[in-house]
């Protein structure tokens, strides 16, 4: 029986040779005249066998089972022999060129399928039967002991004697496999390579050990130890950097978590007992106040203060001013103390206070030499922010009079007097701008806002009670009328004489003596308003000066806290004054 894939006259088959060409069992050898990559078949004029072979191959694949087509292997083996002879340059004469009855050449066109069909079960035609073989067909290539055994199908092959049995190509996923590639076994390592520190067992490879022994003396100047030391140092540096980086990231993460979700740091209790003066400016709110207190050492963190302020129902009512607080207080204790008026250490200017008194109080507050603040006010008045309409008349005793607005100010220890004065002038400008003094002065027949401030300063001092301010302002405007026959245009206020003398008393002397005082502020002598304000009026006095109550009054006298008597004539006024003096003497 003819062996599968072998034909008579073929040379011995070697196990390493592919059975079907170079592609083995999985890929068929390209047909004669056909490209291995699926290109269109090309006809070779010298080979009339090509078309016949293709037709037979097609019929064998489509009509007959695998075990019945033994001739296919013979044809393929013959092609393989022919290719081998062509590869090594052996000239071959085509034994089929003059074959009678050969199929016509393939013209390169598509196969129309109109070829004679082979009857089913018929033996395929042997293309070698009518031609003498190219080799001695009478010789038995398998009869000698040195010959290779006949080829077997893949499923029935056995290892040849004396040869190492090859591993099965079948792969078992449950069975561990040993790596044989040189990349994994280390057989492809360069000669003289020093084993790495992570090699498991460098002694189990004899070739590797011999290479180490052979290359040990060829290393350049013993640089292996230096490399190893440098590698160790580099690893140490990398480790330090990684540890430091992880530590930094951890610290930042912990800080972020504490800031976002943790409770803010805070002191406990009402403080250490050491007091500190803290100034809170106007317009300061939650975090502004908290940052000031933290810098002064009163609280530990701003977040704790803001949280405590939100928890306290009155926490939002904190006012600007100077507070006397303890250091290292809890945020809640600090807010409670700041809401207590006793803790406020503000510098307060009462309504109607003269500038001379304000200067004296500032000196005492800042523990300065007496007269220091008055000297600063005189020399730096123009740089403290006075408005343009402020009168620069040389008869004005103090240009800042009327501009040290009565309010509470933060005058902390260690600050400068000009800072306190400038803060007061700024407050006065702010309040005056709200009232539109220029329009109010024009409505009342006054020349400038300066004169309106002067009227308000007179109302503030002459009016004993605020509910009488409106009528007192009317008395001022009635006496300033040109046709006034009662006082002939003079105001005749005792407060102006007291301002000149720097005193505050009701017994200023006889009228005749008062008319002799030559001073631009002496209203017993001059006609009209004094040269400037004589006090710092408050909001009520300013309102009354701008909105006097209509009435014919030229005189008034305060009898008690609840009653001020106003009169139209001097006779009526004298009567009311005597009744006041008699009632006072009878008490």
């Amino acid at each position: 029986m003819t062996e599968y894939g072998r034909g008579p006259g073929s040379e011995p088959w070697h196990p390493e040779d592919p059975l079907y060409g170079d592609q083995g069992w999985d890929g068929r050898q390209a047909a004669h005249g056909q490209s291995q990559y699926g290109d269109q078949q090309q006809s070779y004029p010298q080979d009339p066998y090509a078309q016949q072979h293709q037709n037979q191959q097609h019929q064998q694949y489509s009509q007959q089972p695998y075990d019945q087509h033994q001739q296919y292997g013979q044809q393929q083996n013959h092609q393989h022999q022919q290719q081998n002879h062509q590869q090594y340059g052996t000239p071959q004469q085509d034994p089929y060129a003059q074959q009678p009855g050969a199929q016509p050449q393939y013209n390169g066109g598509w196969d129309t399928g109109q070829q004679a069909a082979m009857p089913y079960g018929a033996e395929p035609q042997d293309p070698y039967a009518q031609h003498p073989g190219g080799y001695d067909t009478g010789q038995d290539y398998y009869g000698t002991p040195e010959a290779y055994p006949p080829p077997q199908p893949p499923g029935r092959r056995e290892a040849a004697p004396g040869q190492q049995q090859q591993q099965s190509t079948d792969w078992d996923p449950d069975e561990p496999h040993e790596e044989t590639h040189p990349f994994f076994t280390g057989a492809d390592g360069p000669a003289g390579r020093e084993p790495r520190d992570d090699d498991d067992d460098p002694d189990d490879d004899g070739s590797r050990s011999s290479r180490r022994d052979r290359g040990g003396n060829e290393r350049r100047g013993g640089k292996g130890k230096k490399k190893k030391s440098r590698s160790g140092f580099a690893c140490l540096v990398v480790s330090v950097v990684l540890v430091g980086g992880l530590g930094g990231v951890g610290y930042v993460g912990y800080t972020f978590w504490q800031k976002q979700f943790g409770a803010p740091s805070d002191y406990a209790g009402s403080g250490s007992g050491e007091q500190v003066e803290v100034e809170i400016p106007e317009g300061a709110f939650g975090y502004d106040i908290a940052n000031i207190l933290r810098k002064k050492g009163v609280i530990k963190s701003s977040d704790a203060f803001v949280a405590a302020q939100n928890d306290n129902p009155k926490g939002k009512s904190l006012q600007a001013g100077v507070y006397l607080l303890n250091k290292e207080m809890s945020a809640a204790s600090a807010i409670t103390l700041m809401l207590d008026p006793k803790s406020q250490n503000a510098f307060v200017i009462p309504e109607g206070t003269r500038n001379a008194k304000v200067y004296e109080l500032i000196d005492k507050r800042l523990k300065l030499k007496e007269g220091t603040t008055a000297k600063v006010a005189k020399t730096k008045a123009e740089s403290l922010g006075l408005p343009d309409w402020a009168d620069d008349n040389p008869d004005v005793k103090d240009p800042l009079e009327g501009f040290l607005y009565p309010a509470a100010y933060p005058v902390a220890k260690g600050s400068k007097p000009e800072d306190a004065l400038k803060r007061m002038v700024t407050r006065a400008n702010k309040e005056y701008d709200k009232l539109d003094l220029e329009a109010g002065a024009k409505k009342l027949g006054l020349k400038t806002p300066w004169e309106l401030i002067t009227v308000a300063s007179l109302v503030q001092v002459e009016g004993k009670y605020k509910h009488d301010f409106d009528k007192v302002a009317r008395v001022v405007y009635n006496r300033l009328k040109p046709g006034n026959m009662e006082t002939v245009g003079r105001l005749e206020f005792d407060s102006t004489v007291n301002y000149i003398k720097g005193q505050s008393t009701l017994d200023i002397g006889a009228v005749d003596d008062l008319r002799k005082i030559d001073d631009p502020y002496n209203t017993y002598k001059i006609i009209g308003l004094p040269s400037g304000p004589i006090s710092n009026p408050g909001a009520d006095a300013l309102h009354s000066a701008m909105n006097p109550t209509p009435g014919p009054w030229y005189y008034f006298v305060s009898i008690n806290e609840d009653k001020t008597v106003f009169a139209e004539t001097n006779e009526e006024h004298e009567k009311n004054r005597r009744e006041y003096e008699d009632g006072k003497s009878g008490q």
Side-chain angles (χ1 to χ4, degrees):
M1 178 179 180
T2 305
E3 295 292 341
Y4 184 83
R6 302 292 296 177
S10 301
E11 65 181 19
W13 177 85
H14 195 273
E16 296 180 356
D17 292 341
L19 194 60
Y20 290 112
D22 293 340
Q23 301 180 11
W25 290 94
D26 293 335
R28 295 189 303 273
Q29 177 72 22
H32 193 72
Q34 182 181 2
S35 173
Q36 295 182 358
Y37 302 100
D39 296 339
Q40 185 178 3
Q41 294 180 350
Q42 297 180 1
S43 175
Y44 296 92
Q46 296 83 357
D47 191 2
Y49 168 71
Q51 183 174 1
Q52 175 183 358
H53 173 68
Q54 294 173 3
N55 295 335
Q56 293 176 358
Q57 181 178 356
H58 176 72
Q59 294 174 2
Q60 290 173 358
Y61 281 139
S62 60
Q63 298 179 5
Q64 298 185 10
Y66 177 83
D67 293 334
Q68 295 180 1
H69 294 278
Q70 300 178 355
Q71 294 295 334
Y72 180 81
Q74 298 176 2
Q75 297 174 6
Q76 292 294 332
N77 188 25
H78 179 76
Q79 290 182 4
H80 179 67
Q81 295 176 3
Q82 183 178 0
Q83 291 175 0
N84 290 340
H85 285 291
Q86 293 178 0
Q87 180 179 359
Y88 290 97
T90 304
Q92 295 289 336
Q93 181 178 2
D94 189 356
Y96 313 107
Q98 303 298 327
Q99 178 181 356
Q103 296 291 337
Q105 297 181 3
Y106 182 73
N107 58 5
W110 292 97
D111 186 5
T112 59
Q114 298 180 359
Q115 298 180 0
M118 179 179 293
Y120 182 79
E123 293 292 335
Q125 183 179 0
D126 184 4
Y128 306 102
Q130 300 178 3
H131 302 278
Y135 302 95
D136 187 5
T137 59
Q139 183 179 358
D140 187 3
Y141 291 98
Y142 305 112
T144 62
E146 294 82 5
Y148 288 103
Q152 296 292 336
R156 297 181 297 183
R157 291 182 181 178
E158 296 181 356
Q163 296 184 357
Q164 183 180 0
Q165 183 177 0
Q166 298 183 358
Q167 297 180 354
S168 174
T169 58
D170 295 335
W171 178 74
D172 188 358
D174 297 332
E175 181 180 355
H177 296 272
E178 180 181 358
E179 296 291 348
T180 59
H181 195 279
F183 176 79
F184 300 100
T185 61
D188 60 343
R193 181 184 70 85
E194 183 178 1
R196 296 188 298 269
D197 295 338
D198 56 352
D199 288 344
D200 294 337
D201 189 3
D203 294 336
D204 59 355
D205 191 349
S207 60
R208 197 174 302 179
S209 301
S210 62
R211 286 196 298 270
R212 287 199 301 270
D213 296 338
R214 185 172 60 253
N217 297 327
E218 297 175 0
R219 297 189 184 95
R220 294 185 296 272
K223 293 184 178 180
K225 295 182 179 180
K226 294 184 179 179
K227 289 183 177 179
K228 184 175 293 185
S229 62
R230 287 198 298 268
S231 299
F233 179 74
C235 292
L236 178 61
V237 172
V238 171
S239 300
V240 171
V241 171
L242 290 176
V243 171
L246 291 175
V249 171
Y251 174 77
V252 172
Y254 175 78
T255 303
F256 176 79
W257 185 90
Q258 283 290 104
K259 184 176 181 181
Q260 296 296 328
F261 307 104
S265 56
D266 194 6
Y267 291 121
S270 58
S272 61
E274 181 182 357
Q275 290 187 328
V276 60
E277 191 177 61
V278 180
E279 177 182 349
I280 304 300
E282 292 186 13
F285 298 100
Y287 273 103
D288 300 327
I289 300 174
N291 290 331
I292 295 173
L293 296 178
R294 181 177 54 82
K295 292 178 181 178
K296 289 288 186 177
V298 176
I299 61 174
K300 191 172 185 179
S301 67
S302 300
D303 292 336
F305 180 85
V306 174
Q309 186 181 24
N310 293 331
D311 293 339
N312 194 313
K314 298 182 180 180
K316 300 294 185 179
S317 61
L318 293 177
Q319 301 294 328
V322 177
Y323 297 86
L324 192 61
L325 305 174
N326 298 327
K327 284 191 174 183
E328 299 183 0
M329 302 180 66
S330 66
S333 299
I335 292 176
T336 301
L337 185 58
M338 293 177 71
L339 292 174
D340 188 354
K342 296 180 181 179
S343 68
Q344 298 181 8
N345 196 25
F347 181 79
V348 180
I349 300 178
E351 296 175 345
T353 306
R354 299 172 187 167
N355 280 7
K357 184 63 176 181
V358 175
Y359 302 151
E360 181 182 347
L361 295 174
I362 294 177
D363 289 341
K364 291 181 179 180
R365 180 62 175 263
L366 301 179
K367 297 182 179 180
L368 301 175
K369 182 180 179 181
E370 186 178 352
T372 302
T373 305
K375 183 178 180 180
V376 171
K378 185 177 181 179
T379 57
K380 297 183 178 182
E382 296 180 357
S383 63
L384 297 178
L386 291 173
D388 295 337
W389 47 262
D391 198 347
D392 56 353
N393 189 335
D395 293 336
V396 175
K397 295 184 179 297
D398 189 347
L400 296 180
E401 195 77 67
F403 288 92
L404 303 183
Y405 193 82
Y409 296 95
V411 180
K413 295 178 181 179
S415 61
K416 297 180 180 180
E418 52 265 37
D419 295 337
L421 295 175
K422 188 173 184 179
R423 187 177 287 111
M424 297 172 187
V425 173
T426 302
R427 177 67 181 275
N429 291 332
K430 181 179 179 181
E431 297 297 331
Y432 294 162
D433 290 342
K434 295 178 181 179
L435 300 175
D436 193 6
L437 297 181
E438 293 186 8
K442 184 177 181 180
K443 178 181 177 181
L444 296 169
L446 301 175
K447 298 178 181 179
T448 62
W450 176 265
E451 293 185 346
L452 183 55
I453 298 298
T454 303
V455 171
S457 69
L458 294 171
V459 171
Q460 182 73 62
V461 176
E462 289 291 333
K464 192 172 183 179
Y465 310 108
K466 293 182 178 180
H467 58 269
D468 294 330
F469 282 177
D470 295 347
K471 292 182 178 181
V472 173
R474 174 52 61 189
V475 171
V476 173
Y477 290 118
N478 287 342
R479 291 187 179 185
L480 291 176
K481 290 180 180 179
N484 170 25
M485 300 304 297
E486 293 293 332
T487 61
V488 194
R490 292 189 292 265
L491 293 178
E492 295 184 351
F493 287 157
D494 296 350
S495 57
T496 59
V497 176
N498 285 333
Y499 183 79
I500 295 171
K501 295 181 176 181
Q503 64 184 20
S504 180
T505 180
L506 295 176
D507 188 8
I508 60 174
V511 174
D512 293 339
D513 296 336
L514 295 177
R515 296 185 189 278
K516 297 178 181 179
I517 300 174
D518 188 10
D519 193 283
Y521 283 80
N522 184 7
T523 57
Y524 278 94
K525 184 177 182 179
I526 66 171
I527 296 175
L529 293 170
S531 298
I534 62 173
S535 69
N536 292 289
D540 294 331
L542 286 167
H543 182 270
S544 297
M546 297 180 69
N547 301 279
T549 300
W553 312 293
Y554 286 91
Y555 305 94
F556 63 91
V557 59
S558 297
I559 297 177
N560 51 46
E561 295 180 359
D562 298 330
K563 186 177 181 180
T564 300
V565 180
F566 292 86
E568 297 181 16
T569 62
N570 187 38
E571 290 79 7
E572 186 179 359
H573 170 65
E574 288 295 331
K575 178 183 177 181
N576 295 332
R577 188 169 61 84
R578 285 193 298 266
E579 290 178 356
Y580 167 71
E581 291 178 354
D582 293 342
K584 186 177 179 180
S585 60
Q587 293 178 353

